[in-house]
Each structure stands twice: as C-alpha cells, then as structure tokens.
Amino acid sequence: MQPIEFILGRSGAGKTNYCYEAVAKELEEEAYGSLIVLVPEQFNLQTQKDLAKKLYPGLLRAEVLSFNTLARSVFQEVGKENIPVIEDLERMIILKKVIEEHKKELVFYKKNINNTGFIESVNRLITMFEQSGLGQAELEEMIGSEAVTSLFQSKLVDLQKIYGYFEEYISTQFLTIEKNMSLLAQSIHKSKTLSQAQIWIDGFYGFTMTQLNIIRELMKKAKKVSITLPMDRVYGLTEKVRTSHPFYESIQMYQRLMGICEGEKLTYKTKFLTPVYEEGLLAPEFIHLEENYLKPYQQPFKEESNAIRLNTYSCRMEEVEAVAKRIVSLVRDEGYRYHDIALIVGDVAEYKSLIQSSFKEYEIPYFLDIKRNIHTNSLVAAIEGVLDVVTGSYSYKSMMAFLRTYMLPISREDIDILENYILAYGIKGKKKWQQ
C-alpha cells in the first residue's frame, strides 16, 4: 500500500491535470488494477470527456465514478439486498404521508404542514441530519441541553418525531441515498477489486460525514488514494484557522483527513502545486482577481481592464436581453462562435424562462445545463408504457397511459374517441384487444 497523497493548490494550480498525468503514467505500466477517478456527480460526464481526450484513444483501465456509481459497482461485486434507493421526490411524498398521519402529535409545526415549501425544507434538514450522522440519540441529547432555548427545543421535538416516523416508514422498504452511502462504507472491505485499485478523488472542497467514512475505508483498502483540495498553502494538523478564511472548509477537511490517517496509522504525504500561467493564455485581470477576490484586504488592479466589465440592470429581463445582444455582437462582429461563449448564473431556475424567450428571439442556439428527469422524455415514457401494457395485462389505465405519450401516429382526437369507446364497452385485457 502506497502512502495517502494530498494534492493541494489554488484554483488553476493544475491539481486535476496532475491526477490525469498520474493516471496516464499508470496506464503505461503492465498492470491489471483499476484506476478510478472519483468526482462529484455533476462533473462525471465532463471528466470522462476530458480524461478520454487526455488518454486517447480511450480510457482503457481508467474509470470515472461518483460516490453513487462507486456504490453500484461495489454492490454488483459483493452483493446487496435488493432494496430500492429513493431520491428527493420519493422522500417528499413519504414525508407528506407520515406528517399527515401524525399531525395531531406535532406541536410547533402543526399549523405549518400545509405551507408552501414546508415539506421540501424538512426533507433538506433530514438529509443534512443523515449526511452529518445525526440520529435520534443525538437529537435527544440536543433537546435535553440547557443551552437550548424553549422555542428551539419545541422545534427540535417536532423534527425528532418527523425524523423518527420517516425512518420507521422506510426502514424495511427503502434506502435513502445517504443510507446507501453508509452501506457502501460497510461493504468496501469485502471488495477484491478495490484492493488493487488506485483512486484519485478530485473536484471536492469538502465531504459529508458519510463520504468521509467511505474515504476512510478506501484509504484502508485501496492500493493508493490521492485527494485534491483547494488551498492557499499547506496547513498543520492542529493549526487554527478563522472561520472567515476563504478556504476554511477545505482546510478543515484536510485536517480531518490527516486525523483519519493518524488514527488508522496510515502514512501520508502532501504535495502543494503553485499556479503557472502560460503567457497570453489568461488575462492578468483574472489572475489578480483569483489571488485577491477572497482576501479580507484586497489590492486594487491598477491598470485599465479590458477583460472584465461590470454592468448593472434594473431587472433580470433587461440583464438577459443585454447579454443576448452582446452574444450576437461577439459572433457577428468579432469572429466568435457560439460554442466559445458560456453564460453563468447564480440560479438557473430563476433565469431559465427569460433565457429561453430572449435567446429564441435573437436566434441564439444554447444548451441549458440543468438536471432533467428522464421520465419526462416522451420516448422513455412510451417504452415504460409498452412494458406497463404487457405486465398489466392490457388494462385500461396502462393502455391509455401508453397512448397519451402521443408517440404513435394517432391524433389526439382519435385517442379521445377510442377512450370513450373503451369506457362505454368495458374493454380491458389482452383477449378483448386482440378481438
């Protein structure tokens, strides 16, 4: 087992490229162990593309995984009880059900359960409890603490009840993603594949409690583990850092990970990378901004800036329209292409409709980088509908759900007429349809 490697550095220091180079070097060796790059879920596809370009003509032994896909891979190898994993939508449906059933037992939140966003907020809070390893015992301890005010205590009592009802309901039927991660941490020691694997964990600035437990087990099991973290310098294990420090969370994680290594008696080393910018590749304004933006005492950029512009607008609609005009100008007058331009916003949901209408008006092709539910795709719905028809013995419900996907060359008017005919004559079952 090789020492645990921590790769630190500021933004643009080359931490990710360092990992890619290490993967490429390992591929040159005649070995059979897996090479795993572990990244956040949202970076999975982009990392695969980047790594595939770097390792042309293909990834070969290298895999790009998130914690969720790592869980699937490990469970396929070591086995796992076939319990469905639920996501946010299913969680909120279950929470709505258990809160409705036990609303008479609630005190503080009794009048809030029908408020808009209440279920979503409770779901987020319970998810944070699970990620932080907070259970009923810890909540009970907090409730009994003398430092807790009576108002906060009454809130905690209701939340403890809701959390308990939720856990009781799903205990034998479902797994949450967080519980699935805990199960992964308990299963890693059984994996033979991971014992010969080399793992690079990249793209994170912090980890939840369950993720830390998984990393602890990977450190003990894998042949080599390397972890990148954004940081301005190397910090000691017990060095104090103010909470306002821009890299506070990353530093805390680095110290916790070092503590895990010390506790498990694992050797570790740290490599700090310094940004090296190629001349002309990055405007000096961006280099200055990266170095000073998060400092409590900023140094002003003394030269005239052509690369960064600050504009203010009276509303979002005016803002998006100005951006659309600027994009058209860049493409038409300055030789840019649409794929050279990116629009970054704080909340895509707030800007989505404005971008769609404005960009359509100015005939700007675009891609909205948002997570889409695959079940809303008409083709997927049609495939599911066919399967439901077959497994549901051609029931009225399954047949109409399939027809209502409108993927068949049948008009809406004809489907409406067919539905009335089915209801009038009570047609259901495969035999009736064949007749």
Side-chain angles (χ1 to χ4, degrees):
M1 183 184 287
Q2 298 182 37
I4 308 302
E5 184 179 31
F6 296 108
I7 305 150
L8 313 179
R10 301 180 71 97
S11 176
K15 300 183 292 296
T16 297
N17 193 58
Y18 178 88
C19 295
Y20 291 173
E21 295 286 353
V23 172
K25 186 177 178 182
E26 288 299 329
L27 283 172
E28 294 172 2
E29 304 291 331
E30 293 185 5
Y32 299 98
S34 297
L35 305 174
I36 298 171
V37 181
L38 195 61
V39 296
E41 189 85 40
Q42 64 270 26
F43 297 153
N44 201 313
L45 181 59
Q46 187 59 50
T47 304
Q48 287 183 46
K49 288 181 178 178
D50 294 343
L51 198 54
K53 287 179 184 176
K54 185 80 176 178
L55 306 177
Y56 184 83
L59 295 177
L60 302 175
R61 288 188 291 126
E63 295 179 272
V64 179
L65 303 175
S66 64
F67 280 103
N68 287 333
T69 48
L70 175 65
R72 284 199 292 270
S73 177
V74 171
F75 293 145
Q76 281 176 1
E77 181 190 355
V78 305
K80 174 198 152 191
E81 194 175 347
N82 190 23
I83 301 176
V85 178
I86 56 173
E87 297 190 8
D88 275 348
L89 182 58
E90 294 95 333
R91 287 175 65 112
M92 286 192 284
I93 291 170
I94 293 168
L95 276 170
K96 178 73 174 172
K97 176 182 170 61
V98 297
I99 289 173
E100 196 63 41
E101 287 176 353
H102 298 277
K103 63 183 178 183
K104 291 181 180 178
E105 298 167 43
L106 302 179
V107 178
F108 187 86
Y109 290 116
K110 191 172 185 177
K111 294 180 180 178
N112 302 99
I113 60 174
N114 293 318
N115 289 358
T116 304
F118 175 74
I119 299 294
E120 190 177 351
S121 298
V122 172
N123 178 51
R124 276 201 304 268
L125 190 58
I126 290 177
T127 302
M128 288 173 64
F129 287 166
E130 291 176 328
Q131 289 175 346
S132 305
L134 279 174
Q136 294 293 320
E138 288 77 14
L139 288 173
E140 189 67 49
E141 188 178 336
M142 288 173 67
I143 291 167
S145 172
E146 294 179 2
V148 174
T149 63
S150 57
L151 179 64
F152 187 46
Q153 189 179 56
S154 59
K155 290 182 180 181
L156 280 176
V157 169
D158 276 5
L159 288 170
Q160 185 192 31
K161 287 177 182 177
I162 295 170
Y163 191 14
Y165 302 145
F166 176 75
E167 286 195 314
E168 184 182 354
Y169 184 90
I170 68 167
S171 59
T172 57
Q173 304 179 74
F174 306 107
L175 276 175
T176 62
I177 292 172
E178 287 68 31
K179 290 282 194 291
N180 201 44
M181 292 296 102
S182 298
L183 199 57
L184 169 61
Q186 296 165 20
S187 304
I188 284 172
H189 74 278
K190 302 175 188 175
S191 173
K192 292 181 181 178
T193 304
L194 289 177
S195 61
Q196 294 301 314
Q198 297 188 53
I199 302 170
W200 290 265
I201 302 174
D202 183 43
F204 295 90
Y205 62 87
F207 303 100
T208 64
M209 183 65 73
T210 49
Q211 288 172 343
L212 280 173
N213 290 336
I214 292 167
I215 293 170
R216 180 198 300 271
E217 296 303 318
L218 290 174
M219 286 176 169
K220 288 154 59 176
K221 185 70 176 179
K223 184 179 177 182
K224 180 185 177 183
V225 175
S226 300
I227 304 170
T228 69
L229 285 169
M231 220 167 292
D232 57 340
R233 64 177 177 85
V234 179
Y235 289 80
L237 177 60
T238 57
E239 190 172 344
K240 301 292 183 185
V241 183
R242 67 181 187 278
T243 54
S244 59
H245 194 289
F247 295 103
Y248 176 75
E249 188 168 352
S250 296
I251 296 165
Q252 287 284 95
M253 283 299 126
Y254 175 51
Q255 291 176 331
R256 290 184 74 171
L257 288 165
M258 284 194 292
I260 289 172
C261 291
E262 296 278 356
E264 300 292 343
K265 295 183 170 52
L266 299 169
T267 57
Y268 62 92
K269 60 182 182 181
T270 300
K271 185 176 184 66
F272 184 80
L273 303 177
T274 306
V276 179
Y277 302 109
E278 292 181 34
E279 190 174 347
L281 184 65
L282 198 63
E285 294 97 311
F286 289 111
I287 298 171
H288 182 86
L289 187 65
E290 192 279 326
E291 290 174 349
N292 290 275
Y293 180 67
L294 295 172
K295 285 184 178 178
Y297 305 103
Q298 293 93 351
Q299 293 290 327
F301 187 73
K302 296 178 181 177
E303 300 172 28
E304 187 177 342
S305 173
N306 296 315
I308 299 173
R309 299 181 183 181
L310 296 177
N311 300 294
T312 58
Y313 301 96
S314 59
C315 62
R316 288 197 182 102
M317 185 179 292
E318 186 183 339
E319 179 187 8
V320 172
E321 189 169 351
V323 169
K325 289 177 181 177
R326 178 63 180 154
I327 290 171
V328 171
S329 173
L330 288 170
V331 173
R332 184 186 60 205
D333 305 327
E334 300 185 34
Y336 282 87
R337 300 179 69 182
Y338 288 114
H339 67 64
D340 297 328
I341 301 166
L343 174 60
I344 301 169
V345 297
D347 186 351
V348 178
E350 293 285 341
Y351 283 87
K352 181 182 173 183
S353 60
L354 296 172
I355 290 169
Q356 287 173 330
S357 59
S358 187
F359 280 28
K360 184 179 180 181
E361 181 184 347
Y362 285 90
E363 299 180 346
I364 300 171
Y366 65 94
F367 168 72
L368 272 177
D369 188 13
I370 55 176
K371 192 173 182 180
R372 294 168 175 82
N373 189 339
I374 193 171
H375 298 289
T376 60
N377 183 285
S378 298
L379 179 59
V380 174
I383 293 169
E384 286 184 327
V386 171
L387 295 173
D388 285 340
V389 167
V390 175
T391 57
S393 301
Y394 290 70
S395 67
Y396 160 76
K397 185 179 177 182
S398 62
M399 282 299 299
M400 290 315 303
F402 172 53
L403 291 169
R404 292 289 180 196
T405 62
Y406 304 112
M407 290 297 287
L408 297 177
I410 305 173
S411 69
R412 290 178 182 236
E413 186 181 347
D414 288 342
I415 291 172
D416 291 339
I417 294 169
L418 178 60
E419 184 175 13
N420 291 334
Y421 181 81
I422 292 167
L423 291 170
Y425 290 92
I427 296 173
K428 57 183 177 180
K430 185 177 180 182
K431 191 174 180 180
K432 284 277 189 182
W433 279 96
Q434 288 176 332
Q435 291 172 355

